[in-house]
Amino acid sequence: MSIKETTTGDTDTVLRHPDLTWNEHGLPVADDFDDPYFSVENGLEETRYVFLKQNGLPQRWQSHQAPFRIIETGFGTGLNFLATWQAFQSTRGENNWLHFTSIEKFPLSREQLQKALALWPELRELSDRLIEAYPPALRGFHTLKWPDERVSLTLIFDDVHSALPQLNGPVDAWFLDGFAPAKNPAMWSDALFSEIRRISRNPRSNRIPTVATFTAAGVVRRGLKGAGFNIAKVPGFGRKREMLAGRYAATTGPEQGRLHNHLPWQLFPAPLKDASKVVVAGAGLSGCTTARALAERGFRVTLCDPEGIANGASGNPQGGLYIKLAADNQATHSDFYRQAYLLALKEVERMLEAPVENNKTWDACGVLQLAYSAKEEVRQQRFVERHQPPAEFVASDSEKKGLIFPAAGWVSPADFCKALVNHPNIQFITAAVTRITGEQNALAITTDSGDLDASAIVIATAHQANELAGEHSYLPTKKIRGQLTYLNADALPTADTVLCARSYMAPPLNGRLVLGATYNLKDEEAELRDSDHQTNLSHLCDFGAEWETAANSAEIIGGRVGFRCTTPDYLPMAGPLVVKDEFVKRFRPMTKNAKRIPREPMPWMSGVWLNIGHGSRGLASSSLCAELIAEQMAGDAVSTSQTVVDALAPNRFLLRDLIRNKL
């Protein structure tokens, strides 16, 4: 299969693995570039010399007191990442976190990766962990994390010229890898160096990025100088006479204002200090994932909920961990849920013990999304034709008439939440937060069982968030009632996967089937209703003829009512909150011209953040939202695209309605 990209009509470009030739030294060579992935002499030592030594690593880590962000062009075999991880293990400072961001247009398959990394036995332990976490070949951002090592990898499968515009700082070091300029001139373009300059000049920090690259080509030297770097030629590795290294100095021409290359809402509040206290209000999926992500970053978290852990909508006995991806023009929606789903699978596996019969808390049994109508069948066909996803992610099942997500399954949300909060940096208290006053780093938080002090608070109270955020916020959420129906499994057909149509149903657990849930807008009824049980039963026919027959004799043995929180665009809200009135005042000119964006700082609500609006997809979406909030609070670069970050921003509805002159 060629390394060149293929398309199907007007479809999205489909990723392909590279064709490799293994030369006489056993090293991989990319056929389309006729260039090896690393030095014939010693690829690992080349990495240590070119990228670690010339960027001043690991010495810089020993005094660095914040997340350390590296951006690499050309992930290749992952050798640079693994060598960096290995060096970080033994030399990092106490409060370091390594965030490695790498871009790869032609990702190796897992088998190719295994064969290449087998060349480096001393990296075996880290290689195995990378291979285990390695994502399927899906275009876009992928989040891999090893909190016990304080390491995260944002792996971007895309062209560098598409990926870099989606990144922002801070960045501490650049690894400019990839194939040589003579072999791959399309990468080493003016556009590349323009983006390097933009990202390096981060108005949120005073960091001075460094750069290193194996090449000494004139086009690269001139490009880096034009990007604002002081560049020097230094001796190359092995037979290579020279290479380039340097430091960012913004040496070319006058600088624009601090907001010139950034939209105001893309510059987050100042990061919190190490080991700061953070309160998280709400102990459902969004609150518990947020508490865990913050705790793993070193923050001291107090988690508050008057009902206990996962006793609201997150308390269902079995929840389907799956997503429904759009076939057409909803790229941002699909990009977010794809990345979030793949991270959630890893988080569930990390938090919960392996499934045990009769005592399961999760099961990766697969999810079958059935084509229960002609419209849904057409949608699924268009999705597969357009995206051509790898089978390990999703595949068509012609026999069962649907899409099968083989790695998906069901999870007990309550057990997942309890595992998440089992961390020494998390304290849970049974209390409701009632009031927030003060400034960031000095908040006074009132609860119904006493007062708390904190540097920040994350509101994760679903549809109750408006009450806590107060009149200065703008949160157009919807509260949706959902009722589950519990069925006696003994006299019913069985399925070995989660079935998903108008309702979902997991395989039986301890003699019980969980079916649902209904979708009732503007409905506050908390009691079970027989009419909603009948609605759920009427959806059994979507699962096949045998289920339609069984519906008439199904025995209802209980149920549960919960209330989802959704947003107008069905994406969560995750990020810092703004003060509504001040925002409207500063950005009012956009009412007349949406492109006339005042270069004003955002009026952030001091120390107040939000993670709500996950609807019925909280199992899939909450972990990534939690990760983004933890990164923002820690002063790290975010691990997803700027487009997705903007799409999740709580202020997006305020901005849209301002532009439409509705405020």
Side-chain angles (χ1 to χ4, degrees), residues 66-98:
F68 192 95
R69 205 287 188 87
I70 295 170
I71 301 179
E72 175 189 48
T73 57
F75 185 73
T77 66
L79 181 60
N80 293 342
F81 167 64
L82 293 174
T84 306
W85 185 357
Q86 184 190 54
F88 186 74
Q89 281 183 318
S90 58
T91 57
R92 67 175 175 86
E94 183 179 353
N95 297 315
N96 282 172
W97 183 287
L98 174 64

Side-chain angles (χ1 to χ4, degrees), residues 245-305:
R247 288 172 64 85
Y248 182 73
T251 56
T252 59
E255 287 294 330
Q256 299 286 347
R258 66 185 299 271
L259 293 176
H260 177 71
N261 286 323
H262 299 80
L263 296 175
W265 42 87
Q266 294 175 347
L267 299 175
F268 303 120
L272 303 184
K273 296 179 180 179
D274 296 326
S276 292
K277 294 180 181 178
V278 180
V279 170
V280 177
L285 282 165
S286 60
C288 292
T289 52
T290 302
R292 182 65 179 227
L294 291 169
E296 290 178 337
R297 287 277 177 165
F299 296 112
R300 293 174 291 162
V301 181
T302 300
L303 178 64
C304 307
D305 196 306

Side-chain angles (χ1 to χ4, degrees), residues 311-534:
N311 280 326
S314 299
N316 293 341
Q318 290 174 286
L321 174 48
Y322 63 93
I323 51 175
K324 187 174 182 178
L325 297 174
D328 298 313
N329 299 320
Q330 298 183 45
T332 301
H333 187 281
S334 292
D335 286 348
F336 165 70
Y337 277 107
R338 174 201 49 74
Q339 183 182 0
Y341 161 74
L342 291 173
L343 174 62
L345 290 176
K346 295 298 182 184
E347 290 295 274
V348 167
E349 185 177 0
R350 180 167 73 98
M351 290 294 149
L352 297 177
E353 297 291 334
V356 178
E357 198 64 36
N358 298 322
N359 189 30
K360 289 182 179 179
T361 57
W362 70 281
D363 192 355
C365 56
V367 169
L368 177 63
Q369 288 186 357
L370 291 156
Y372 58 89
S373 67
K375 181 179 179 181
E376 176 63 11
E377 184 175 7
V378 170
R379 190 198 72 80
Q380 291 187 3
Q381 290 174 348
R382 291 177 66 183
F383 170 80
V384 173
E385 290 170 0
R386 182 179 180 88
H387 299 285
Q388 298 183 28
E392 64 180 301
F393 177 68
V394 62
S396 295
D397 189 322
S398 56
E399 180 182 350
K400 296 181 179 178
K401 295 184 178 179
L403 297 177
I404 183 73
F405 286 78
W410 66 264
V411 181
S412 164
D415 287 305
F416 183 42
C417 286
K418 290 171 184 175
L420 285 164
V421 302
N422 183 21
H423 190 281
N425 284 346
I426 300 175
Q427 176 191 15
F428 174 75
I429 62 173
T430 305
V433 175
T434 57
R435 191 180 179 205
I436 307 166
T437 57
E439 301 291 327
Q440 178 167 313
N441 295 319
L443 292 182
I445 298 169
T446 304
T447 78
D448 56 9
S449 66
D451 295 337
L452 302 170
D453 64 282
S455 295
I457 183 170
V458 182
I459 300 173
T461 52
H463 51 81
Q464 297 173 333
N466 265 305
E467 302 170 16
L468 188 52
E471 61 183 7
H472 299 299
S473 66
Y474 190 77
L475 307 176
T477 59
K478 294 187 288 185
K479 182 179 180 180
I480 301 175
R481 180 185 184 275
Q483 180 172 314
L484 292 174
T485 299
Y486 301 158
L487 302 175
N488 184 347
D490 292 342
L492 293 174
T494 59
D496 55 5
T497 64
V498 176
L499 301 177
C500 178
R502 287 178 293 173
S503 292
Y504 81 90
M505 184 171 65
L509 180 65
N510 298 327
R512 181 176 69 180
L513 286 168
V514 176
L515 173 67
T518 57
Y519 197 89
N520 309 119
L521 281 166
K522 299 180 180 179
D523 189 337
E524 299 287 337
E525 177 59 59
E527 300 299 320
L528 291 169
R529 293 195 297 240
D530 183 65
S531 60
D532 282 4
H533 283 320
Q534 296 307 313

Side-chain angles (χ1 to χ4, degrees), residues 187-206:
M187 182 186 119
W188 303 90
S189 67
D190 289 343
L192 170 73
F193 300 113
S194 177
E195 288 299 322
I196 289 173
R197 178 186 180 90
R198 179 187 64 81
I199 296 167
S200 296
R201 185 173 182 266
N202 177 37
R204 291 193 300 147
S205 76
N206 296 318

